[in-house]
Amino acid sequence: MSRIFFIFDEIGGALLFLKEILGGLVRRPCRWKDVVDQTWSVTLQSLPTTAMAGFFVGAIMAVQFTLQLRDFGALGYLGGLATSGTIREIGPLLIAFMLSGKVGAFTSAELGTMKVTEQIDAIRCLGADPFQEIIQPRFLGIIISSSLLLGLGLLMSIGGGMFLGGIFAGVTSEEYLRHIPTILAWPSVVLGFFKCLLFALILATICTYKGYMTIGGARGVGRSVVETAVSTMVAIVVMDWVASFLAEIVFTLVRETL
Amino acid sequence: MIEYRGLVKRFGAKTILNGLNLRIEEGEIVFVLGTSGTGKSVLLKNTVGLFRPDAGEIWIQGREVSKLSEHDYLEVRKVCGMVFQHPALFDSMTVYENVAFGLRRFEELSESEIADRVKESLARVHLKGIEDKKPPQISYGMQKRVSLARTVALNPRILLFDEPTTGLDPVTTRAVNHLIFELSRKMKTTSIVVSHDMECALEIADRIVLLDKGSIVTQGTPSEIKKSEIPLVRGFLEEVLA
């Protein structure tokens, strides 16, 4: 029972923390230079891994769909189906998992170390607001960077699918790309990129919250990093389901209206 | 002048400061001693508003500050500088940027004035030529001194030291203690030093306060403390006298 209370307490804490960040952005916004620096640093840090992850996610989807479509002689649809599935569901999810392990863990460890070594207290004592100085730039930097990285990962997944489609199923690039526009409907694209933004928001909130709330020295930092990775992944899976479910309702309503 | 009146601080069910009353006169160097977990650091963090008391009052230079908003507390922090147990330097910044950090936020100075203040503050702690280095590139003892320079750069009227010699070798410990004394006297500040170091306290303190379980056990000048028969005081003194 106490575990359940703890989970709700943490969710409430993270939401209040998000409210504090957003309120701070209105009242005392941070310097844009700091946001640009953070975005640049996060992007550079994760670009190769995200690109590689995206490429292989597309490749895995292509292999899976090939196994299904080959029996029906429908390999011509491989590109459309693999891309639609990747962009709408599996791509954002897997790439967000990767970013939570890399960006989330790094940010949580960095902020946690600043907390336990009293750097955050020092910021307050030196007349500055820690939210404005260190939380807001990281929060915005992670959102901008993760959205871009997720977008890039999805584009790379098309490349990965196309590459493996050629090798594994003998589908040419032209053939692979031909059915993408017919099968990949705009709701899938909108949903895919909405999920990228949503997952980036979840990641930025949880890792800054966990890092900022760290207590208890090196052990505390380790605990925060683990909790960040676990909470982010669980939150992303849950919100993936919520987003897909709500999107289905919205798209059905839109289709019926049109 | 700093005065604590009936100060109470609790964390959950645990009472850390239990109705503490203490008055510190202007220009005094007061050492607060006690075993771990007796509320020494909590006392300092309440003074600079990092924690807020659950009950009681904190008077700094004739003003009750414990209920001030975070924004209004900035005025208190400007006159009340704190040196932390860790050097608490910002790793991503150079020594120069670390020392200039508070100056850029508290005072409206030109870049050349900031540069002069940084140089002067580093000279006060006997450091020079390390402005362009980053904290991990200098020794721990030097980091502690840079941290001290960052605090004194703002010319505070009150200096709070939270276990300033923790983790230092005996030679650097003596140097830092000497520096605390020198700075406090030269800058004519009121200083509170939280420490376990009775030897240093006997040497440089105007008054020694001994805390236990969030309350004051005894207080007095070093010579008065030396004569104390209280077991806890004798425990601290035994190591020094031995």
Side-chain angles (χ1 to χ4, degrees):
Chain A
M1 199 63 174
S2 63
R3 185 75 198 158
I4 294 170
F5 279 126
F6 175 75
I7 291 168
F8 279 107
D9 189 45
E10 284 288 283
I11 294 171
L15 290 174
L16 287 174
F17 189 78
L18 177 63
K19 183 178 160 247
E20 185 71 26
I21 296 174
L22 298 177
L25 284 169
V26 177
R27 293 190 304 271
R28 298 177 304 275
C30 56
R31 289 176 296 272
W32 270 107
K33 185 190 168 297
D34 294 341
V35 179
V36 172
D37 287 349
Q38 281 298 325
T39 308
W40 183 244
S41 136
V42 173
T43 308
L44 271 191
Q45 201 184 86
S46 309
L47 189 68
T49 345
T50 312
M52 198 172 78
F55 185 88
F56 282 101
V57 167
I60 293 163
M61 291 297 278
V63 170
Q64 285 302 314
F65 274 100
T66 300
L67 297 174
Q68 309 292 321
L69 294 171
R70 184 173 277 154
D71 295 342
F72 298 97
L75 282 173
Y77 294 102
L78 178 66
L81 287 171
T83 307
S84 177
T86 308
I87 287 190
R88 194 183 170 112
E89 286 297 337
I90 207 78
L93 195 67
L94 287 183
I95 298 167
F97 275 6
M98 255 227 25
L99 286 174
S100 77
K102 199 163 171 73
V103 178
F106 177 83
T107 307
S108 175
E110 188 186 24
L111 290 175
T113 306
M114 290 182 84
K115 181 78 186 296
V116 300
T117 58
E118 299 176 308
Q119 290 180 51
I120 291 177
D121 285 344
I123 289 174
R124 287 174 70 191
C125 281
L126 292 165
D129 173 5
F131 270 75
Q132 189 183 24
E133 292 292 330
I134 54 169
I135 302 294
Q136 288 176 13
R138 278 166 181 76
F139 179 80
L140 291 176
I142 290 171
I143 289 183
I144 297 167
S145 168
S146 298
S147 304
L148 293 173
L149 286 167
L150 281 161
L152 172 86
L154 292 183
L155 288 176
M156 286 300 291
S157 72
I158 298 175
M162 201 160 68
F163 182 69
L164 251 284
I167 293 176
F168 195 70
V171 176
T172 62
S173 310
E174 292 78 26
E175 208 178 344
Y176 190 91
L177 293 171
R178 194 190 318 141
H179 281 294
I180 292 181
T182 49
I183 295 179
L184 182 67
W186 66 265
S188 297
V189 179
V190 171
L191 182 58
F193 282 93
F194 171 72
K195 280 183 180 177
C196 291
L197 197 66
L198 180 68
F199 296 163
L201 178 71
I202 292 169
L203 174 61
T205 306
I206 293 179
C207 70
T208 49
Y209 170 68
K210 284 286 175 190
Y212 192 78
M213 294 297 169
T214 301
I215 47 167
R219 252 181 108 81
V221 176
R223 198 168 41 236
S224 287
V225 172
V226 172
E227 283 177 2
T228 298
V230 174
S231 321
T232 312
M233 287 186 195
V234 172
I236 284 173
V237 171
V238 172
M239 291 313 289
D240 187 36
W241 176 79
V242 172
S244 297
F245 181 72
L246 291 178
E248 208 49 55
I249 295 171
V250 171
F251 292 145
T252 308
L253 284 174
V254 171
R255 269 196 297 270
E256 281 171 4
T257 314
L258 294 173
Chain B
M1 190 267 287
I2 307 168
E3 190 174 359
Y4 304 97
R5 292 182 191 166
L7 203 64
V8 175
K9 180 66 190 172
R10 296 184 199 96
F11 290 110
K14 197 171 179 192
T15 302
I16 306 295
L17 294 175
N18 193 10
L20 184 132
N21 291 297
L22 177 65
R23 186 184 161 95
I24 295 164
E25 300 302 332
E26 200 150 343
E28 243 190 324
I29 300 178
V30 174
F31 266 65
V32 179
L33 273 69
T35 51
S36 298
T38 48
K40 307 184 296 294
S41 299
V42 173
L43 177 69
L44 294 192
K45 289 188 176 180
N46 271 284
T47 314
V48 284
L50 294 174
F51 294 150
R52 297 305 174 99
D54 293 305
E57 294 176 350
I58 302 171
W59 288 77
I60 295 177
Q61 296 188 321
R63 184 184 184 194
E64 210 284 302
V65 299
S66 65
K67 288 159 196 80
L68 291 179
S69 67
E70 181 70 13
H71 182 264
D72 291 340
Y73 226 106
L74 288 178
E75 284 305 309
V76 180
R77 289 177 190 147
K78 197 175 170 185
V79 294
C80 198
M82 178 152 172
V83 179
F84 292 89
Q85 191 174 346
H86 295 95
L89 299 176
F90 312 124
D91 292 346
S92 57
M93 297 180 187
T94 62
V95 166
Y96 178 93
E97 286 163 343
N98 264 285
V99 180
F101 189 91
L103 292 171
R104 292 192 204 283
R105 279 144 189 92
F106 270 131
E107 302 193 18
E108 289 185 6
L109 300 172
S110 68
E111 198 51 45
S112 67
E113 286 170 318
I114 289 175
D116 290 343
R117 286 277 282 276
V118 170
K119 202 175 167 187
E120 182 195 340
S121 305
L122 286 171
R124 275 175 175 170
V125 297
H126 311 302
L127 287 174
K128 61 176 179 179
I130 59 159
E131 287 87 339
D132 296 330
K133 291 197 188 302
K134 290 204 169 173
Q137 295 174 303
I138 57 176
S139 71
Y140 191 69
M142 283 168 109
Q143 287 182 30
K144 286 258 187 181
R145 282 196 275 163
V146 172
S147 168
L148 194 49
R150 183 175 65 180
T151 304
V152 299
L154 294 162
N155 290 326
R157 302 306 313 134
I158 297 162
L159 278 172
L160 308 175
F161 299 90
D162 188 6
E163 300 190 22
T165 55
T166 300
L168 296 177
D169 61 79
V171 177
T172 318
T173 297
R174 283 193 73 81
V176 170
N177 283 332
H178 181 71
L179 207 52
I180 290 169
F181 181 75
E182 190 185 293
L183 283 172
S184 301
R185 289 292 184 247
K186 268 189 190 165
M187 294 172 68
K188 297 187 175 67
T189 58
T190 305
S191 300
I192 306 178
V193 186
V194 158
S195 177
H196 295 284
D197 189 348
M198 178 60 95
E199 189 180 355
C200 167
L202 291 172
E203 198 181 323
I204 66 175
D206 294 319
R207 186 151 51 108
I208 297 171
V209 174
L210 207 81
L211 276 192
D212 190 36
K213 292 174 188 154
S215 303
I216 294 174
V217 177
T218 186
Q219 56 179 306
T221 61
S223 53
E224 286 167 349
I225 290 292
K226 272 184 194 170
K227 290 174 201 154
S228 173
E229 291 302 325
I230 297 169
L232 188 64
V233 181
R234 298 309 312 167
F236 270 95
L237 285 169
E238 268 167 21
E239 201 183 322
V240 181
L241 300 174

